[in-house]
């Protein structure tokens, strides 16, 4: 089968498509014929060696964490050959940018029938990140105010929709050109970082979800309600310290670390089939053009998700 790999840590030129064996399965895994896989900033960070301690020094390494496809081998589990599924593999061993992927049966779910494979592939990682940040870390309740920074990207566009489903009143921060785009997913207020500094806001937020990760708790605290929460996606030293100081104050700071699971994939399945949440695809590239697709993600200008088809 064809599989995208990195041959060492580095720039785009370390990416290489190779021919390799179809993966073997552990008892817990099923084999999926991948139809589409999503790109994520994690792919770029791993390629550049930013998580070396977790990804090790053995090469080649696979690429990609979320996918949509068809069951090739159900391996004794409830899925049968031909079932459409979508999911995300946990851990640091990316491998979904390939023609087949071995996936723990708890890390996938049946795919919503009203989506294409390309659209479905973009949901699992970005969507579960948004859900686990806003519902679990933030515990957003109906009528609460949430500000989403970096609202037009892969995680952001789903975060707006998740917050809306949970009953939040949403403010988004994006560039000028994406104001209407953010509005279209249900934001009540759309602000541009080209025009305003959110830290000057008179509004107070119950949650500030820093998807883009260029703020920190210390800066944001003054625009949080007395029990407000700052949640980031970006693992920086400051957030570890701030999580410790949570013990001594009412306002809280935390970081989301996405973990794929059946229940959360089902949450998206249900919302998507009910047409409550839509997938947002910016671009679709053939697997052979993975370098071009990663270059686009690296520009940090993606509107929604960038997808590869195998
Ligand atoms: N911890 C976790 O488990 C986890 C999981 C998923 C993602 N993440 C992290 O979350 C971050 C976002 O991921 P993503 O998939 O949403 O990325 P993405 O799709 O590549 O984000 C692109 C978006 O970033 C926006 N952006 C660029 N500069 C900005 C700025 N200065 N202020 C606000 N927005 C800006 C762009 O909007 P404009 O063009 O309008 O500026 C664009 O729409 C990444 O750092 C990723 O590594 C972490």
């Amino acid at each position: 089968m064809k599989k995208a790999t990195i041959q060492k840590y580095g720039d785009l030129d370390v990416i290489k498509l190779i021919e390799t064996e179809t993966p073997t399965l552990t008892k817990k895994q099923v084999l999926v014929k991948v139809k589409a896989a999503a790109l994520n900033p994690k792919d770029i960070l791993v390629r550049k060696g930013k998580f070396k301690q977790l990804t090790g020094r053995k090469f080649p390494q696979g690429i990609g964490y979320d996918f949509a496809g068809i069951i090739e081998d159900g391996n004794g589990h409830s899925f049968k050959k031909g079932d459409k599924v979508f999911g995300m593999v946990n851990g640091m061993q990316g491998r979904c940018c390939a023609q087949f992927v071995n996936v723990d049966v708890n890390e996938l779910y049946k795919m919503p029938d009203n989506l294409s494979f390309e659209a479905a592939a973009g949901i699992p990682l970005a969507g579960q990140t948004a859900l686990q940040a806003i519902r679990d870390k933030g515990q957003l309740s109906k009528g609460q105010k949430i500000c989403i920074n970096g609202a037009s990207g892969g995680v952001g566009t789903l975060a707006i929709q998740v917050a809306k489903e949970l009953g939040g009143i949403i403010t988004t921060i994006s560039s000028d050109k994406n104001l209407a785009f953010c509005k279209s997913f249900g934001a009540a207020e759309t602000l541009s970082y080209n025009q305003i500094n959110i830290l000057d806001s008179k509004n107070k937020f119950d949650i500030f979800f820093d998807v883009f990760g260029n703020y920190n708790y210390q800066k944001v605290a003054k625009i949080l309600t007395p029990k407000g929460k700052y949640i980031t996606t970006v693992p920086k030293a400051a957030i570890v310290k701030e999580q410790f100081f949570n013990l001594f104050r009412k306002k809280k700071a935390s970081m989301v670390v996405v973990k794929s699971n059946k229940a959360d994939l089902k949450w998206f399945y249900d919302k998507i089939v009910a047409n409550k949440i839509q997938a947002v695809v910016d671009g679709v590239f053939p697997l052979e053009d993975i370098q071009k697709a990663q270059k686009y993600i690296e520009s940090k200008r993606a509107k929604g998700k960038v997808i590869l088809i195998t």
Side-chain angles (χ1 to χ4, degrees), residues 11-307:
D11 294 329
L12 287 165
D13 58 359
V14 304
I15 300 174
K16 195 176 164 198
L17 275 192
I18 61 168
E19 271 301 325
T20 184
E21 298 294 311
T22 305
T24 51
L25 303 179
T26 65
K27 273 189 188 159
K28 280 185 173 175
Q29 291 179 331
V30 295
L31 186 66
V32 177
K33 186 175 184 357
V34 178
K35 298 295 240 177
L39 275 84
N40 291 284
K42 184 175 177 183
D43 306 333
I44 314 296
L45 296 170
V46 167
R47 166 166 57 74
K48 290 186 169 170
K50 303 284 184 199
F51 298 123
K52 252 181 216 163
Q53 274 143 337
L54 299 171
T55 49
R57 297 209 162 265
K58 217 169 139 200
F59 293 98
Q61 293 181 7
I63 302 173
Y65 299 90
D66 51 350
F67 64 89
I70 294 171
I71 294 285
E72 177 71 14
D73 180 353
N75 199 19
H77 297 283
S78 58
F79 293 103
K80 56 182 190 314
K81 188 169 174 166
D83 286 350
K84 289 181 179 180
V85 289
F86 72 151
M88 170 199 146
V89 297
N90 283 318
M92 298 305 289
Q93 288 183 323
R95 54 188 186 277
C96 299
C97 298
Q99 289 177 311
F100 292 92
V101 65
N102 51 329
V103 187
D104 188 302
V105 74
N106 294 311
E107 296 169 356
L108 51 67
Y109 197 74
K110 62 184 167 181
M111 192 183 108
D113 263 339
N114 54 341
L115 289 188
S116 63
F117 288 110
E118 290 90 326
I123 298 286
L125 192 150
Q128 290 186 96
T129 304
L131 184 63
Q132 290 165 19
I134 298 170
R135 181 198 59 191
D136 304 343
K137 297 275 175 193
Q139 299 186 333
L140 179 77
S141 55
K142 201 163 186 271
Q144 284 195 319
K145 288 188 176 167
I146 175 169
C147 179
I148 301 170
N149 174 49
S152 49
V155 174
T157 48
L158 286 161
I160 303 171
Q161 299 181 76
V162 166
K164 191 168 170 237
E165 278 308 298
L166 297 175
I169 300 166
I170 304 147
T171 296
T172 59
I173 307 175
S174 69
S175 61
D176 277 342
K177 68 178 187 341
N178 285 327
L179 291 173
F181 183 64
C182 292
K183 188 108 194 152
S184 71
F185 301 110
E189 179 183 42
T190 53
L191 303 175
S192 158
Y193 60 73
N194 303 117
Q195 292 175 24
I196 60 113
N197 180 350
I198 189 68
L199 302 178
D200 296 333
S201 169
K202 296 278 175 284
N203 278 334
K204 303 274 189 228
F205 299 100
D206 298 291
I207 297 176
F208 187 99
F209 183 22
D210 191 3
V211 178
F212 190 68
N214 54 341
Y215 287 87
N216 59 48
Y217 171 80
Q218 287 300 331
K219 283 186 190 165
V220 168
K222 66 176 181 176
I223 56 164
L224 292 177
T225 54
K227 288 185 178 174
K229 297 176 183 118
Y230 169 83
I231 304 161
T232 183
T233 60
V234 178
K236 289 183 189 159
I239 192 64
V240 178
K241 190 180 85 183
E242 291 303 344
Q243 290 186 110
F244 171 74
F245 285 117
N246 284 344
L247 290 170
F248 310 106
R249 62 182 180 219
K250 291 201 169 120
K251 294 180 189 180
K252 307 289 180 195
S254 66
M255 186 183 83
V256 61
V257 180
V258 64
K259 188 132 197 292
S260 188
N261 67 84
K262 234 194 256 182
D264 288 353
L265 291 166
K266 179 183 183 307
W267 190 93
F268 279 98
Y269 175 91
D270 291 342
K271 296 292 179 189
I272 291 166
V273 296
N275 291 313
K276 298 261 168 83
I277 284 192
Q278 52 176 301
V280 189
V281 176
D282 184 352
V284 178
F285 295 77
L287 183 60
E288 288 71 17
D289 283 347
I290 183 168
Q291 291 190 2
K292 248 190 238 170
Q294 278 207 0
K295 191 171 175 191
Y296 183 47
I297 283 282
E298 228 172 328
S299 75
K300 300 184 194 257
R301 291 277 85 86
K303 287 174 66 173
K305 295 299 302 179
V306 177
I307 305 296

